[in-house]
Coordinates of all heavy atoms in Angstrom, one line a residue:
M17 N -4.4 0.6 -9.4 CA -5.4 1.5 -8.7 C -4.8 2.5 -7.8 O -3.8 2.1 -7.1 CB -6.4 0.6 -8.1 CG -6.1 0.2 -6.6 SD -7.3 -1.1 -6.0 CE -7.3 -2.4 -7.1
P18 N -5.2 3.7 -7.8 CA -4.5 4.6 -6.9 C -4.9 4.5 -5.5 O -5.9 4.1 -5.0 CB -5.1 6.1 -7.4 CG -6.4 5.7 -8.2 CD -6.2 4.2 -8.6
V19 N -3.8 4.8 -4.6 CA -3.9 4.7 -3.2 C -3.9 6.1 -2.7 O -3.1 6.9 -3.1 CB -2.8 3.8 -2.5 CG1 -2.9 3.8 -1.1 CG2 -2.9 2.4 -3.1
Q20 N -4.8 6.4 -1.7 CA -4.9 7.7 -1.2 C -4.6 7.6 0.4 O -5.2 6.8 0.9 CB -6.2 8.3 -1.4 CG -6.6 8.6 -2.9 CD -7.9 9.2 -3.1 OE1 -8.7 9.3 -2.2 NE2 -8.2 9.7 -4.3
L21 N -3.9 8.7 0.9 CA -3.8 8.9 2.3 C -5.0 9.8 2.7 O -5.1 10.9 2.2 CB -2.5 9.5 2.7 CG -1.3 8.6 2.5 CD1 0.0 9.4 2.8 CD2 -1.4 7.4 3.5
L22 N -5.9 9.3 3.6 CA -7.1 10.1 4.0 C -6.9 10.6 5.4 O -6.2 9.9 6.2 CB -8.3 9.3 3.9 CG -8.6 8.7 2.6 CD1 -9.8 7.7 2.6 CD2 -8.8 9.8 1.5
D23 N -7.3 11.8 5.7 CA -7.4 12.3 7.0 C -6.0 12.4 7.7 O -5.7 12.0 8.7 CB -8.3 11.5 8.0 CG -9.7 11.5 7.5 OD1 -10.1 12.5 6.9 OD2 -10.4 10.5 7.7
V24 N -5.0 12.9 6.8 CA -3.6 13.1 7.4 C -3.6 14.2 8.3 O -3.9 15.5 7.9 CB -2.6 13.3 6.2 CG1 -1.2 13.5 6.7 CG2 -2.7 12.1 5.2
P25 N -3.2 14.1 9.6 CA -3.2 15.2 10.5 C -2.0 16.1 10.3 O -1.1 15.9 9.5 CB -2.8 14.5 11.9 CG -2.2 13.3 11.6 CD -2.7 12.9 10.2
D26 N -2.1 17.4 10.7 CA -1.1 18.4 10.5 C 0.3 18.1 11.1 O 1.3 18.2 10.6 CB -1.5 19.8 11.2 CG -2.7 20.4 10.4 OD1 -2.9 20.1 9.2 OD2 -3.5 21.2 11.1
K27 N 0.2 17.3 12.3 CA 1.4 16.8 13.0 C 1.2 15.3 13.0 O 0.2 14.9 13.6 CB 1.6 17.5 14.3 CG 2.7 17.0 15.0 CD 2.9 17.7 16.4 CE 4.1 17.1 17.1 NZ 4.3 17.5 18.4
I28 N 2.2 14.6 12.6 CA 2.2 13.2 12.7 C 3.1 12.8 13.9 O 4.2 13.0 13.9 CB 2.7 12.6 11.3 CG1 1.7 13.0 10.2 CG2 2.7 11.0 11.5 CD1 2.2 12.5 8.9
D29 N 2.4 12.1 14.8 CA 3.2 11.6 16.0 C 3.8 10.2 15.9 O 4.7 9.8 16.5 CB 2.3 11.7 17.3 CG 1.9 13.2 17.7 OD1 2.8 14.0 17.5 OD2 0.8 13.4 18.0
K30 N 2.9 9.4 15.2 CA 3.2 8.0 15.0 C 3.5 7.8 13.5 O 3.1 8.5 12.7 CB 2.0 7.0 15.4 CG 1.7 7.2 16.9 CD 0.5 6.3 17.3 CE -0.3 5.5 16.3 NZ -1.3 4.6 16.7
C31 N 4.2 6.7 13.4 CA 4.6 6.4 11.9 C 3.7 5.2 11.4 O 4.2 4.2 11.0 CB 6.1 6.0 11.8 SG 7.1 7.5 12.0
D32 N 2.4 5.2 11.7 CA 1.4 4.3 11.3 C 0.3 5.0 10.5 O 0.1 6.1 10.7 CB 0.8 3.6 12.5 CG 1.8 2.9 13.4 OD1 2.9 2.7 13.1 OD2 1.3 2.7 14.6
F33 N -0.2 4.3 9.6 CA -1.4 4.9 8.8 C -2.1 3.8 8.2 O -1.7 2.6 8.0 CB -1.0 6.0 7.8 CG -0.1 5.4 6.6 CD1 -0.7 4.9 5.5 CD2 1.2 5.3 6.7 CE1 0.0 4.5 4.5 CE2 2.0 4.9 5.7 CZ 1.3 4.5 4.6
L34 N -3.4 4.1 7.8 CA -4.3 3.1 7.1 C -4.4 3.3 5.7 O -4.8 4.5 5.2 CB -5.7 3.2 7.9 CG -6.7 2.3 7.3 CD1 -6.4 0.8 7.7 CD2 -8.1 2.6 8.0
L35 N -4.1 2.4 4.9 CA -4.3 2.4 3.4 C -5.7 1.9 3.1 O -6.1 0.9 3.7 CB -3.2 1.6 2.6 CG -1.8 2.0 2.5 CD1 -1.0 0.8 1.8 CD2 -1.7 3.3 1.7
K36 N -6.4 2.6 2.3 CA -7.7 2.0 1.9 C -7.8 2.3 0.3 O -7.3 3.1 -0.2 CB -8.9 2.9 2.5 CG -9.1 2.8 4.0 CD -10.3 3.5 4.4 CE -10.6 3.2 5.9 NZ -11.8 3.9 6.3
W37 N -8.5 1.3 -0.3 CA -8.8 1.3 -1.7 C -10.2 0.9 -2.1 O -10.8 0.1 -1.3 CB -7.7 0.6 -2.5 CG -7.6 -0.8 -2.0 CD1 -8.1 -2.0 -2.6 CD2 -6.7 -1.4 -1.0 NE1 -7.9 -3.1 -1.9 CE2 -7.0 -2.7 -0.9 CE3 -5.8 -0.8 -0.1 CZ2 -6.3 -3.6 0.1 CZ3 -5.2 -1.6 0.9 CH2 -5.4 -2.9 0.9
K38 N -10.6 1.2 -3.3 CA -11.9 0.8 -3.6 C -11.8 -0.6 -4.3 O -10.7 -1.0 -4.8 CB -12.5 1.8 -4.7 CG -12.8 3.1 -4.1 CD -13.4 4.0 -5.1 CE -13.7 5.4 -4.5 NZ -14.3 6.4 -5.4
E39 N -13.0 -1.3 -4.4 CA -13.0 -2.6 -5.0 C -12.6 -2.4 -6.4 O -13.2 -1.6 -7.1 CB -14.4 -3.2 -4.8 CG -14.5 -4.7 -5.3 CD -15.8 -5.2 -5.1 OE1 -16.6 -4.8 -4.3 OE2 -16.0 -6.3 -5.7
A40 N -11.8 -3.4 -7.0 CA -11.4 -3.3 -8.3 C -12.4 -4.0 -9.2 O -13.1 -4.8 -8.8 CB -10.0 -4.0 -8.6
H41 N -12.4 -3.7 -10.5 CA -13.2 -4.4 -11.4 C -12.4 -5.6 -11.9 O -11.4 -5.5 -12.3 CB -13.6 -3.5 -12.7 CG -14.3 -2.2 -12.3 ND1 -15.6 -2.3 -11.9 CD2 -13.9 -0.9 -12.2 CE1 -16.0 -1.0 -11.6 NE2 -15.0 -0.3 -11.8
G42 N -13.0 -6.7 -11.8 CA -12.4 -8.0 -12.1 C -12.4 -8.4 -13.5 O -11.9 -9.4 -13.9
N43 N -12.8 -7.4 -14.4 CA -12.9 -7.7 -15.8 C -13.5 -9.2 -16.1 O -13.1 -10.0 -16.9 CB -11.5 -7.8 -16.5 CG -10.9 -6.3 -16.4 OD1 -11.6 -5.3 -16.6 ND2 -9.6 -6.2 -16.3
G44 N -14.6 -9.3 -15.4 CA -15.5 -10.5 -15.7 C -15.1 -11.8 -14.7 O -15.8 -12.7 -14.7
A45 N -14.1 -11.5 -13.9 CA -13.7 -12.7 -13.0 C -13.6 -12.1 -11.6 O -13.3 -11.0 -11.4 CB -12.4 -13.2 -13.3
I46 N -14.0 -12.9 -10.5 CA -14.0 -12.4 -9.2 C -12.6 -12.2 -8.7 O -11.7 -13.0 -9.0 CB -14.7 -13.6 -8.3 CG1 -16.2 -13.7 -8.8 CG2 -14.6 -13.2 -6.9 CD1 -16.9 -14.8 -8.1
I47 N -12.4 -11.2 -7.9 CA -11.2 -10.8 -7.3 C -10.9 -11.8 -6.2 O -11.8 -12.0 -5.3 CB -11.1 -9.4 -6.7 CG1 -11.4 -8.3 -7.9 CG2 -9.8 -9.1 -6.0 CD1 -10.3 -8.3 -8.9
T48 N -9.8 -12.5 -6.2 CA -9.4 -13.5 -5.2 C -8.5 -12.9 -4.1 O -8.4 -13.4 -3.0 CB -8.8 -14.8 -5.8 OG1 -7.7 -14.3 -6.5 CG2 -9.8 -15.4 -6.7
K49 N -7.9 -11.8 -4.4 CA -7.0 -11.1 -3.4 C -6.5 -9.8 -3.9 O -6.4 -9.6 -5.0 CB -5.8 -12.0 -2.9 CG -4.7 -12.1 -3.9 CD -3.6 -12.9 -3.3 CE -2.4 -13.1 -4.4 NZ -1.4 -13.9 -3.9
Y50 N -6.2 -9.0 -2.8 CA -5.4 -7.7 -3.1 C -4.0 -7.9 -2.5 O -3.9 -8.5 -1.4 CB -6.1 -6.5 -2.5 CG -7.5 -6.3 -3.1 CD1 -8.6 -6.7 -2.5 CD2 -7.6 -5.5 -4.3 CE1 -9.9 -6.5 -3.1 CE2 -8.8 -5.3 -4.8 CZ -10.0 -5.8 -4.2 OH -11.2 -5.5 -4.9
T51 N -3.0 -7.4 -3.1 CA -1.7 -7.4 -2.5 C -1.2 -6.0 -2.4 O -1.3 -5.2 -3.3 CB -0.8 -8.3 -3.5 OG1 -1.4 -9.5 -3.6 CG2 0.7 -8.3 -2.9
V52 N -0.7 -5.7 -1.2 CA 0.0 -4.5 -0.9 C 1.4 -4.6 -1.0 O 2.0 -5.4 -0.5 CB -0.4 -3.9 0.4 CG1 0.3 -2.6 0.7 CG2 -1.9 -3.9 0.7
Y53 N 2.0 -3.7 -1.9 CA 3.5 -3.6 -2.1 C 4.0 -2.3 -1.6 O 3.4 -1.2 -1.5 CB 3.9 -3.7 -3.6 CG 3.6 -5.0 -4.2 CD1 2.4 -5.2 -4.8 CD2 4.5 -6.0 -4.3 CE1 2.0 -6.4 -5.5 CE2 4.2 -7.1 -4.9 CZ 3.0 -7.5 -5.5 OH 2.6 -8.6 -6.1
Q54 N 5.3 -2.4 -1.1 CA 6.0 -1.3 -0.5 C 7.5 -1.2 -1.1 O 8.0 -2.2 -1.2 CB 6.0 -1.4 1.0 CG 6.8 -0.3 1.8 CD 6.8 -0.7 3.2 OE1 5.8 -0.9 3.9 NE2 8.0 -0.7 3.8
R55 N 7.9 0.0 -1.2 CA 9.3 0.2 -1.4 C 9.8 1.6 -1.0 O 9.0 2.4 -0.6 CB 9.6 0.2 -3.0 CG 9.0 1.2 -3.8 CD 9.4 1.1 -5.3 NE 8.8 2.2 -6.1 CZ 8.9 2.2 -7.4 NH1 9.6 1.2 -8.1 NH2 8.4 3.2 -8.2
T56 N 11.0 1.7 -0.8 CA 11.6 2.9 -0.3 C 12.4 3.7 -1.4 O 12.8 3.0 -2.4 CB 12.5 2.7 0.9 OG1 13.6 1.8 0.5 CG2 11.7 2.1 2.1
V57 N 12.6 5.0 -1.2 CA 13.4 5.8 -2.2 C 14.5 6.4 -1.3 O 14.2 7.1 -0.3 CB 12.6 6.8 -2.8 CG1 13.4 7.7 -3.7 CG2 11.4 6.3 -3.6
N58 N 15.8 6.1 -1.6 CA 16.9 6.7 -0.9 C 17.0 8.1 -1.1 O 16.4 8.8 -2.1 CB 18.2 6.0 -1.4 CG 18.1 4.5 -1.1 OD1 17.5 4.1 -0.2 ND2 19.1 3.8 -1.7
E59 N 17.8 8.8 -0.3 CA 18.0 10.3 -0.4 C 18.5 10.7 -1.8 O 18.3 11.8 -2.2 CB 19.0 10.7 0.7 CG 18.4 10.7 2.1 CD 19.4 11.2 3.1 OE1 20.4 11.7 2.8 OE2 19.1 11.0 4.3
N60 N 19.3 9.8 -2.4 CA 20.0 10.1 -3.8 C 18.9 9.8 -4.8 O 19.2 9.9 -6.1 CB 21.3 9.4 -4.0 CG 21.2 7.9 -3.9 OD1 20.1 7.4 -3.9 ND2 22.3 7.2 -4.0
G61 N 17.7 9.4 -4.6 CA 16.7 9.1 -5.5 C 16.7 7.7 -6.0 O 15.9 7.4 -6.9
E62 N 17.6 6.9 -5.5 CA 17.6 5.4 -5.9 C 16.4 4.7 -5.4 O 16.0 4.7 -4.2 CB 18.8 4.8 -5.3 CG 19.0 3.3 -5.7 CD 20.3 2.7 -5.1 OE1 21.5 3.4 -5.4 OE2 20.2 1.7 -4.6
V63 N 15.6 4.1 -6.3 CA 14.4 3.3 -5.9 C 14.7 1.8 -5.6 O 15.3 1.2 -6.4 CB 13.3 3.5 -7.0 CG1 12.1 2.7 -6.6 CG2 13.0 4.9 -7.2
Q64 N 14.2 1.4 -4.4 CA 14.5 0.0 -4.1 C 13.3 -0.9 -4.8 O 12.3 -0.3 -5.2 CB 14.3 -0.2 -2.4 CG 15.4 0.7 -1.8 CD 16.8 0.3 -2.2 OE1 17.1 -0.9 -2.3 NE2 17.6 1.3 -2.6
P65 N 13.6 -2.1 -4.9 CA 12.5 -3.1 -5.5 C 11.3 -3.1 -4.6 O 11.3 -2.9 -3.4 CB 13.2 -4.4 -5.5 CG 14.6 -4.2 -5.2 CD 14.8 -2.9 -4.5
W66 N 10.1 -3.4 -5.4 CA 8.9 -3.5 -4.6 C 9.0 -4.8 -3.9 O 9.5 -5.8 -4.3 CB 7.7 -3.7 -5.7 CG 7.3 -2.4 -6.4 CD1 7.6 -2.1 -7.6 CD2 6.7 -1.3 -5.8 NE1 7.0 -0.9 -7.9 CE2 6.5 -0.3 -6.8 CE3 6.1 -1.0 -4.5 CZ2 5.9 0.9 -6.6 CZ3 5.6 0.2 -4.3 CH2 5.4 1.1 -5.3
K67 N 8.3 -4.7 -2.7 CA 8.3 -6.0 -1.7 C 6.9 -6.2 -1.3 O 6.2 -5.2 -0.8 CB 9.1 -5.7 -0.5 CG 9.2 -6.7 0.5 CD 10.2 -6.5 1.6 CE 10.0 -5.2 2.3 NZ 10.8 -5.1 3.5
G68 N 6.3 -7.3 -1.5 CA 4.9 -7.6 -1.1 C 4.9 -7.6 0.4 O 5.7 -8.4 1.0
I69 N 4.0 -6.8 1.1 CA 3.9 -6.8 2.6 C 2.6 -7.3 3.0 O 2.4 -7.6 4.2 CB 4.2 -5.5 3.1 CG1 3.2 -4.4 2.5 CG2 5.6 -5.0 2.7 CD1 3.3 -3.1 3.1
H70 N 1.6 -7.6 2.2 CA 0.3 -8.0 2.7 C -0.6 -8.5 1.6 O -0.7 -7.8 0.6 CB -0.5 -6.9 3.5 CG -1.7 -7.2 4.0 ND1 -1.8 -8.0 5.2 CD2 -3.0 -7.0 3.6 CE1 -3.2 -8.2 5.3 NE2 -3.9 -7.6 4.5
S71 N -1.4 -9.7 1.8 CA -2.3 -10.1 0.8 C -3.6 -10.5 1.6 O -3.5 -11.3 2.6 CB -1.8 -11.2 0.0 OG -0.7 -10.9 -0.8
S72 N -4.7 -10.1 1.0 CA -6.0 -10.4 1.6 C -7.2 -10.0 0.7 O -6.9 -9.3 -0.3 CB -6.2 -9.9 3.0 OG -6.6 -8.5 2.9
L73 N -8.4 -10.3 1.1 CA -9.6 -9.7 0.3 C -10.0 -8.5 0.9 O -10.9 -7.8 0.3 CB -10.7 -10.8 0.3 CG -10.6 -11.8 -0.8 CD1 -11.7 -12.9 -0.7 CD2 -10.8 -11.1 -2.2
D74 N -9.4 -7.9 2.0 CA -9.7 -6.7 2.6 C -9.6 -5.5 1.6 O -8.7 -5.6 0.7 CB -9.1 -6.5 3.9 CG -9.3 -7.5 5.0 OD1 -10.5 -8.0 5.0 OD2 -8.5 -7.7 5.8
H75 N -10.1 -4.4 1.9 CA -10.0 -3.2 1.0 C -9.2 -2.1 1.9 O -9.3 -0.9 1.7 CB -11.4 -2.5 0.6 CG -12.0 -3.5 -0.3 ND1 -13.2 -4.0 0.0 CD2 -11.8 -4.0 -1.5 CE1 -13.7 -4.8 -0.9 NE2 -12.8 -4.8 -1.8
E76 N -8.5 -2.6 2.9 CA -7.6 -1.7 3.7 C -6.5 -2.5 4.3 O -6.6 -3.7 4.5 CB -8.4 -1.0 4.7 CG -9.0 -1.8 5.8 CD -9.9 -1.0 6.7 OE1 -10.6 -0.1 6.3 OE2 -9.9 -1.4 8.0
Y77 N -5.4 -1.7 4.7 CA -4.3 -2.3 5.4 C -3.7 -1.4 6.3 O -3.5 -0.2 5.9 CB -3.3 -2.9 4.4 CG -2.0 -3.4 5.1 CD1 -2.1 -4.6 5.8 CD2 -0.8 -2.7 4.9 CE1 -0.9 -5.0 6.4 CE2 0.3 -3.3 5.4 CZ 0.2 -4.4 6.3 OH 1.4 -4.9 6.8
Q78 N -3.5 -1.7 7.5 CA -2.8 -0.8 8.6 C -1.3 -0.9 8.4 O -0.8 -2.0 8.7 CB -3.2 -1.2 9.9 CG -2.6 -0.2 11.0 CD -3.3 1.1 11.1 OE1 -4.7 1.2 10.8 NE2 -2.6 2.1 11.4
V79 N -0.6 0.1 8.0 CA 0.9 0.1 7.8 C 1.4 0.6 9.2 O 1.1 1.6 9.7 CB 1.3 1.1 6.7 CG1 2.8 1.0 6.5 CG2 0.7 0.5 5.4
L80 N 2.3 -0.2 9.7 CA 2.8 0.0 11.1 C 4.3 0.2 11.1 O 5.0 -0.3 10.3 CB 2.5 -1.1 12.0 CG 0.9 -1.5 12.1 CD1 0.9 -2.8 13.0 CD2 0.2 -0.4 12.8
S81 N 4.7 1.1 12.0 CA 6.2 1.2 12.4 C 7.1 1.6 11.2 O 8.1 1.0 11.0 CB 6.7 -0.1 12.9 OG 5.9 -0.4 14.1
L82 N 6.7 2.6 10.4 CA 7.5 3.1 9.4 C 8.6 4.0 10.1 O 8.4 4.5 11.2 CB 6.7 3.9 8.4 CG 5.7 3.2 7.7 CD1 4.9 4.2 6.7 CD2 6.3 2.1 6.8
E83 N 9.8 4.0 9.4 CA 10.8 4.8 10.0 C 10.6 6.3 9.6 O 10.5 6.6 8.5 CB 12.2 4.3 9.5 CG 12.4 2.9 10.1 CD 13.9 2.5 10.1 OE1 14.7 3.4 10.1 OE2 14.1 1.3 9.9
R84 N 10.7 7.2 10.6 CA 10.6 8.6 10.4 C 11.7 9.1 9.5 O 12.8 8.7 9.7 CB 10.6 9.3 11.7 CG 10.1 10.8 11.7 CD 10.0 11.3 13.1 NE 9.2 10.7 13.9 CZ 7.7 10.8 14.0 NH1 7.2 11.6 13.1 NH2 7.0 10.2 14.8
G85 N 11.4 10.0 8.6 CA 12.4 10.5 7.6 C 12.6 9.6 6.4 O 13.2 10.2 5.4
E86 N 12.1 8.4 6.3 CA 12.2 7.6 5.0 C 11.1 8.0 4.1 O 10.1 8.4 4.5 CB 12.1 6.1 5.5 CG 13.3 5.5 6.3 CD 14.5 5.4 5.3 OE1 14.5 5.1 4.2 OE2 15.5 5.5 6.0
V87 N 11.5 7.8 2.8 CA 10.4 8.0 1.8 C 9.9 6.7 1.3 O 10.6 5.8 0.9 CB 11.0 8.8 0.5 CG1 10.0 8.9 -0.6 CG2 11.5 10.2 1.0
Y88 N 8.6 6.4 1.4 CA 7.9 5.2 1.1 C 7.0 5.4 -0.1 O 6.4 6.4 -0.2 CB 7.1 4.6 2.2 CG 8.0 4.2 3.4 CD1 8.2 5.2 4.5 CD2 8.5 2.9 3.5 CE1 9.0 4.8 5.5 CE2 9.2 2.5 4.6 CZ 9.5 3.5 5.6 OH 10.2 3.1 6.7
E89 N 6.9 4.4 -0.9 CA 5.9 4.3 -2.0 C 5.1 3.0 -1.8 O 5.6 2.0 -1.3 CB 6.5 4.4 -3.4 CG 7.2 5.7 -3.7 CD 7.8 5.7 -5.0 OE1 7.9 4.6 -5.7 OE2 8.0 6.7 -5.6
F90 N 3.8 3.1 -2.1 CA 3.0 1.9 -1.9 C 2.1 1.6 -3.2 O 1.8 2.7 -3.9 CB 1.9 2.1 -0.8 CG 2.6 2.1 0.5 CD1 3.1 3.4 1.0 CD2 2.8 1.0 1.2 CE1 3.7 3.5 2.3 CE2 3.5 1.1 2.5 CZ 3.9 2.2 2.9
K91 N 1.8 0.5 -3.6 CA 0.9 0.1 -4.7 C 0.0 -1.1 -4.2 O 0.4 -1.9 -3.4 CB 1.6 -0.1 -6.0 CG 2.3 -1.4 -6.1 CD 3.0 -1.5 -7.4 CE 3.7 -2.8 -7.6 NZ 4.3 -2.9 -8.9
V92 N -1.1 -1.1 -4.7 CA -2.1 -2.2 -4.5 C -2.5 -2.9 -5.8 O -2.9 -2.1 -6.7 CB -3.3 -1.8 -3.7 CG1 -4.3 -2.9 -3.4 CG2 -2.9 -1.1 -2.4
T93 N -2.4 -4.2 -5.8 CA -2.8 -4.8 -7.0 C -3.9 -5.8 -6.7 O -4.1 -6.3 -5.6 CB -1.7 -5.7 -7.7 OG1 -1.3 -6.7 -6.8 CG2 -0.5 -4.8 -8.1
A94 N -4.8 -6.1 -7.7 CA -5.9 -7.1 -7.6 C -5.5 -8.3 -8.4 O -4.9 -8.2 -9.5 CB -7.1 -6.4 -8.0
T95 N -5.9 -9.6 -7.8 CA -5.7 -10.8 -8.5 C -7.0 -11.5 -8.6 O -7.8 -11.5 -7.8 CB -4.7 -11.7 -7.7 OG1 -3.5 -10.9 -7.5 CG2 -4.4 -13.0 -8.4
N96 N -7.2 -12.1 -9.9 CA -8.3 -12.9 -10.1 C -7.8 -14.2 -10.8 O -6.5 -14.3 -10.9 CB -9.5 -12.2 -10.9 CG -9.0 -11.7 -12.2 OD1 -8.0 -12.2 -12.8 ND2 -9.8 -10.8 -12.9
K97 N -8.7 -15.0 -11.3 CA -8.3 -16.3 -12.0 C -7.3 -16.0 -13.2 O -6.6 -16.9 -13.7 CB -9.4 -17.1 -12.4 CG -10.3 -16.6 -13.5 CD -11.4 -17.6 -13.8 CE -12.4 -17.0 -14.9 NZ -13.5 -17.9 -15.1
I98 N -7.4 -14.8 -13.8 CA -6.6 -14.5 -15.0 C -5.2 -14.2 -14.5 O -4.3 -14.4 -15.2 CB -7.2 -13.3 -15.7 CG1 -8.7 -13.5 -16.0 CG2 -6.4 -12.9 -16.9 CD1 -9.0 -14.6 -17.1
G99 N -5.1 -13.6 -13.3 CA -3.7 -13.2 -12.8 C -3.8 -11.9 -12.1 O -4.8 -11.4 -11.8
E100 N -2.6 -11.4 -11.8 CA -2.5 -10.2 -11.0 C -2.7 -9.0 -11.9 O -2.3 -8.9 -13.0 CB -1.1 -10.1 -10.3 CG -1.0 -9.0 -9.3 CD 0.4 -9.1 -8.5 OE1 1.3 -9.7 -8.9 OE2 0.4 -8.4 -7.5

């Protein structure tokens, strides 16, 4: 499911932001959790492995204390009784 950055200011003073996503379709089964994953991309384009940073039933997650100048990627997955 796509993640969007909303209301990004012209100048960013802090390295915190709020990820929000819409409720996923469970394909007939109830969603039991959402998992937020994060990875970084080095200056030479080398992509680091995905790391799970948060799991809950919420539809948002406050990302805190990112390092200025780093390139981050995020993804959100939904899990139900069938799997992730």
Side-chain angles (χ1 to χ4, degrees):
M17 87 185 57
V19 176
Q20 297 179 346
L21 290 175
L22 302 174
D23 301 324
V24 178
D26 293 334
K27 181 179 177 189
I28 299 175
D29 296 323
K30 297 182 354 179
C31 291
D32 304 341
F33 65 91
L34 182 65
L35 285 175
K36 289 185 174 185
W37 54 92
K38 293 181 180 180
E39 184 174 351
H41 299 289
N43 292 328
I46 296 171
I47 300 297
T48 57
K49 71 176 178 178
Y50 294 97
T51 304
V52 178
Y53 292 90
Q54 170 186 310
R55 68 180 179 184
T56 57
V57 180
N58 295 342
E59 289 180 13
N60 62 4
E62 182 180 310
V63 179
Q64 301 301 308
W66 288 108
K67 178 173 57 171
I69 60 170
H70 180 75
S71 291
S72 76
L73 273 173
D74 295 333
H75 297 116
E76 63 183 38
Y77 175 67
Q78 182 76 35
V79 180
L80 302 172
S81 303
L82 296 177
E83 294 199 31
R84 195 173 299 281
E86 291 288 327
V87 176
Y88 294 90
E89 294 181 342
F90 295 90
K91 70 177 179 179
V92 177
T93 63
T95 301
N96 62 19
K97 68 180 180 180
I98 310 289
E100 189 171 17

